[in-house]
Amino acid sequence: MIRPFNYHRASTLEEALRLMAKYQEDYKIICGGQSLLILMRQGLVAPENLIDIKRLKEMSYISYDPEKGLTIGATTTHREIEKSPVIEKYFPVLAEAEKNLASIQTRNWGTIGGNLAHGDPAGDPAPILIAANATVKMASVEGKRSLPLEDFTCDIFETVLEEAELLTEIQVPVLPKRTAIAYEKFSIIKNQQGIVSVAAWITMAENNTECKDARIVLGAAASIPFRAKEAEQMLIGKKIEKNLLSRAGKKASEECDPVGDIYATETYRRLLVKVLTEKTAQKAWEQAKAASSSGGTHA
Ligand SMILES: Cc1cc2nc3c(=O)[nH]c(=O)nc-3n(C[C@H](O)[C@H](O)[C@H](O)COP(=O)(O)OP(=O)(O)OC[C@H]3O[C@@H](n4cnc5c(N)ncnc54)[C@H](O)[C@@H]3O)c2cc1C
């Protein structure tokens, strides 16, 4: 049962930050409520004050600038991202992942900011955005700051957000040429969170035969989404072929730190990491090769 709480609806970012500073001893931000309400119903979270930011239109936007890249406001819903022509054109891998994230009802309410701030290691957007080198912007009455998304989640369901600090924006830099990003998740039930997921970024070298740069990000394979850096190093400077991918997949499965639960044992998760790393890196490699021939990118 949900414990009684005081409800405050902010109509501007400034008002939200003031409310957060005022109630900083005991408040919780609610946006789409798709993750928070479950915790409240289970009695795991029982804030005295709920500060609703869902109607902050100034934080709901998607835009692209050829210099700065893509910016997504934190209160933008999953459904808006899935349907955005801008995302479809410049970051289709995210649009595709959004289609497989929960039901349409959940995507209509749930937001990208809420998803990242929830800090679930099985969330879909984080591995893709980390692979794409995204940064997050945060604000409080004290000021603003930004940091790489890679450093944002610090433990299971925990982020580096300070008391009275709001996640306001996600920025994705322009992809270098000859680069592709691919994403795969393995789930038992369609559109549910992945048992394991992998995002892979591959940049093809100018010679069109070797991998110039690689980023491999694992989801649900540890307490936070993280880069399998040793597996990445195995790919850089090499021509990517089956044998190498198999060894990189094995390395990623050694680098991860999964737990066993009712959905999968630790051993099964490691096996999935190996297979999905091979598959996703292969896909990104093929797409980077195609992008290289056309002088563009594929994300
Ligand atoms: C049935 C179901 C299936 C799901 N399947 C998937 C799936 O397949 N993949 C996936 O990735 N997710 C999945 N989810 C999770 C869910 O979609 C996201 O976590 C959701 O989008 C959270 O966004 P929200 O706006 O609803 O956040 P809320 O529930 O409102 O908030 C979540 C947390 O973030 C905090 N918060 C929210 N916004 C901000 C902000 N701007 N700044 C700081 N803190 C903030 C809140 O205080 C709270 O702690 C599923 C959820 C459900 C209910």
Side-chain angles (χ1 to χ4, degrees):
M1 202 181 77
I2 292 182
R3 274 232 324 256
F5 53 82
N6 302 312
Y7 175 77
H8 312 269
R9 182 191 290 169
S11 34
T12 62
L13 172 59
E14 200 192 332
E15 187 187 0
L17 297 182
R18 259 193 287 112
L19 285 166
M20 290 162 74
K22 180 173 175 189
Y23 295 113
Q24 70 172 282
E25 293 304 311
D26 196 357
Y27 82 88
K28 209 63 190 147
I29 288 293
I30 186 163
C31 197
Q34 296 304 295
S35 294
L36 184 68
L37 287 176
I38 295 173
L39 299 181
M40 288 177 68
R41 227 172 22 223
Q42 291 170 343
L44 295 170
V45 177
E48 193 75 22
N49 297 282
L50 262 195
I51 302 174
D52 186 349
I53 59 164
K54 178 75 177 164
R55 287 174 178 78
L56 296 191
K57 286 288 163 219
E58 65 197 286
M59 270 168 57
S60 174
Y61 53 85
I62 296 170
S63 66
Y64 185 82
D65 175 283
E67 301 286 314
K68 284 198 283 182
L70 193 64
T71 47
I72 309 176
T75 63
T76 309
T77 65
H78 294 296
R79 187 73 168 157
E80 284 164 339
I81 294 171
E82 174 196 341
K83 293 284 177 191
S84 160
V86 174
I87 301 284
E88 190 55 50
K89 181 163 180 195
Y90 296 105
F91 207 26
V93 63
L94 184 61
E96 196 53 39
E98 292 283 5
K99 280 183 203 142
N100 298 313
L101 184 158
S103 60
I104 291 179
Q105 291 90 331
T106 297
R107 298 204 293 276
N108 271 331
W109 276 95
T111 61
I112 187 82
N115 188 290
L116 297 174
H118 186 49
D120 188 334
D124 286 303
I128 300 168
L129 290 165
I130 292 172
N133 224 348
T135 53
V136 281
K137 269 188 167 176
M138 292 157 282
S140 71
V141 286
E142 308 288 329
K144 295 177 183 168
R145 64 175 176 140
S146 63
L147 87 171
L149 177 60
E150 198 177 336
D151 302 328
F152 181 67
T153 315
C154 50
D155 205 343
I156 185 160
F157 302 118
E158 267 184 46
T159 70
V160 299
L161 280 169
E162 306 264 354
E163 277 300 322
E165 197 173 36
L166 202 62
L167 172 61
T168 55
E169 187 179 270
I170 297 100
Q171 296 184 324
V172 184
V174 178
L175 284 192
K177 289 225 180 313
R178 301 181 303 279
T179 297
I181 303 177
Y183 178 68
E184 293 280 339
K185 80 168 160 180
F186 179 86
S187 47
I188 298 172
I189 304 168
K190 195 171 165 4
N191 285 34
Q192 285 291 338
Q193 282 184 317
I195 305 286
V196 158
S197 64
V198 178
W201 148 310
I202 300 282
T203 302
M204 178 74 89
E206 286 80 358
N207 63 15
N208 261 356
T209 52
E210 283 159 13
C211 167
K212 184 179 179 184
D213 196 9
R215 292 165 71 89
I216 308 281
V217 189
L218 310 181
S223 57
I224 57 171
F226 76 102
R227 284 173 62 193
K229 291 189 178 172
E230 290 181 44
E232 291 173 356
Q233 284 307 316
M234 289 176 75
L235 303 179
I236 297 171
K238 312 270 174 37
K239 181 168 192 273
I240 294 193
E241 39 75 33
K242 208 167 177 312
N243 222 319
L244 179 64
L245 285 172
S246 173
R247 282 187 283 125
K250 183 164 181 295
K251 181 56 76 184
S253 77
E254 289 162 4
E255 284 183 79
C256 69
D257 186 19
V259 290
D261 58 21
I262 55 165
Y263 301 108
T265 60
E266 181 199 326
T267 310
Y268 187 56
R269 277 206 164 86
R270 282 191 195 276
L271 184 65
L272 282 174
V273 165
K274 177 180 184 306
V275 174
L276 277 196
T277 299
E278 285 175 49
K279 188 176 169 188
T280 316
Q282 169 81 44
K283 191 169 164 187
W285 170 250
E286 296 297 338
Q287 290 171 347
K289 253 200 303 198
S292 188
S293 317
S294 66
T297 60
H298 190 296

